[in-house]
Amino acid sequence: MTDFTITATEKTAKNNKLRRDGKIPVIVYGKNVENIPAVVNKLEFDRLYREAGTSNLIEFRFGDKKFKTLINDIQVDPVTSYPIHVDFLKVNMKEKIHAEIPLEFVGESAAVMNLEGSLITPVDSIEVECLPGDLVSEIKVDISTLATFEDNIKVSDLVVPAGIEVLSDPDEIITFVQEPRSEEELEALETEVVENVEGIEVDHKGEEAPEGEGEAKAEAEENKEKE
């Protein structure tokens, strides 16, 4: 039994109409199972995705059928960012799968609290291989080990539950603390921005004028007035 469930119904209309009616077309697929196109309620899916993400098993219910699945892919509208199609992968509980597990950063860093540094997190999930039943919702990353600006946490430093094999590069840096900019660096950066802005000449159409073109136009207009 899984902690999450979603109920789907038969697809009986075109995708555009389904979306207007607050529904999302989905498909269930996997080894030794016929693809099942179906429909789920958008609000129900939004709530499910917030809570389950892509690393929790979901019981997919369709009529009298029940499948253990994972959310495998979500297509979103490029304008609204709303989901417009979802792929559910049916899993075999006895076969290992590849998945991504999100990272949760916990604790307090002395380099942030005492040295006023900024926590940088270039990686927010890792790739793993495991049996579906061994998947976890997230892997915690304790940032209390970041006491100086030289400290960092790599993939190899993670404490991973038994049964999970990490596929991500062990030397990849997950998080570190960036030293705050000095007053000299901030002043230099501010000066550079001002110089860049002043160096851009814009013509009457609001477009950047090529170098020298602004002066040439001004000179031509001045000669025309003299004539």
Side-chain angles (χ1 to χ4, degrees):
M1 185 67 181
T2 62
D3 293 331
F4 303 97
T5 63
I6 190 165
T7 300
T9 57
E10 186 178 355
K11 182 178 178 182
T12 58
K14 292 184 178 181
N15 290 347
N16 288 340
K17 184 179 188 310
L18 291 172
R19 292 166 188 145
R20 287 196 299 269
D21 293 341
K23 298 177 181 178
I24 304 174
V26 303
I27 191 167
V28 179
Y29 62 93
K31 275 188 177 181
N32 304 318
V33 61
E34 185 178 351
N35 291 356
I36 300 176
V39 176
V40 297
N41 179 276
K42 180 184 179 302
L43 294 178
E44 184 180 352
F45 174 78
D46 288 344
R47 183 170 58 252
L48 173 75
Y49 185 58
R50 283 196 305 271
E51 297 175 356
T54 58
S55 61
N56 278 294
L57 288 173
I58 298 164
E59 184 174 271
F60 189 96
R61 298 174 179 176
F62 182 74
D64 59 352
K65 299 177 181 178
K66 296 179 182 179
F67 305 102
K68 288 184 171 61
T69 66
L70 290 170
I71 296 174
N72 193 51
D73 185 54
I74 302 175
Q75 296 176 32
V76 298
D77 185 288
V79 177
T80 64
S81 296
Y82 289 161
I84 57 177
H85 192 277
V86 182
D87 292 0
F88 285 85
L89 174 66
K90 179 181 178 295
V91 299
N92 183 332
M93 298 301 288
K94 295 181 180 180
E95 290 185 4
K96 290 186 176 182
I97 59 172
H98 286 193
E100 282 194 6
I101 299 180
L103 302 176
E104 181 183 359
F105 298 90
V106 299
E108 294 183 348
S109 162
V112 173
M113 302 296 292
N114 303 331
L115 303 179
E116 299 182 349
S118 300
L119 184 70
I120 307 298
T121 56
V123 177
D124 59 7
S125 64
I126 59 169
E127 293 185 30
V128 303
E129 182 180 63
C130 64
L131 291 172
D134 290 331
L135 276 173
V136 292
S137 300
E138 74 278 321
I139 292 176
K140 296 186 184 301
V141 183
D142 184 3
I143 64 171
S144 64
T145 59
L146 302 177
T148 72
F149 299 129
E150 287 72 38
D151 296 329
N152 61 58
I153 299 176
K154 298 180 180 179
V155 169
S156 58
D157 298 320
L158 294 174
V159 179
V160 179
I164 295 178
E165 178 186 354
V166 177
L167 302 180
S168 298
D169 182 355
D171 292 325
E172 186 173 19
I173 294 177
I174 291 171
T175 183
F176 62 95
V177 178
Q178 187 176 68
E179 188 173 359
R181 294 182 186 271
S182 65
E183 291 185 8
E184 292 78 10
E185 289 175 319
L186 290 174
E187 289 177 4
L189 184 62
E190 189 173 311
T191 301
E192 183 180 342
V193 171
V194 171
E195 288 177 350
N196 288 341
V197 171
E198 290 179 345
I200 296 176
E201 186 170 355
V202 180
D203 66 13
H204 67 284
K205 292 182 180 179
E207 299 175 348
E208 276 189 28
E211 186 177 353
E213 186 176 313
E215 295 178 4
K217 283 185 178 180
E219 186 176 345
E221 289 176 3
E222 185 178 345
N223 290 336
K224 188 175 180 181
E225 288 176 2
K226 290 179 179 179
E227 292 174 358

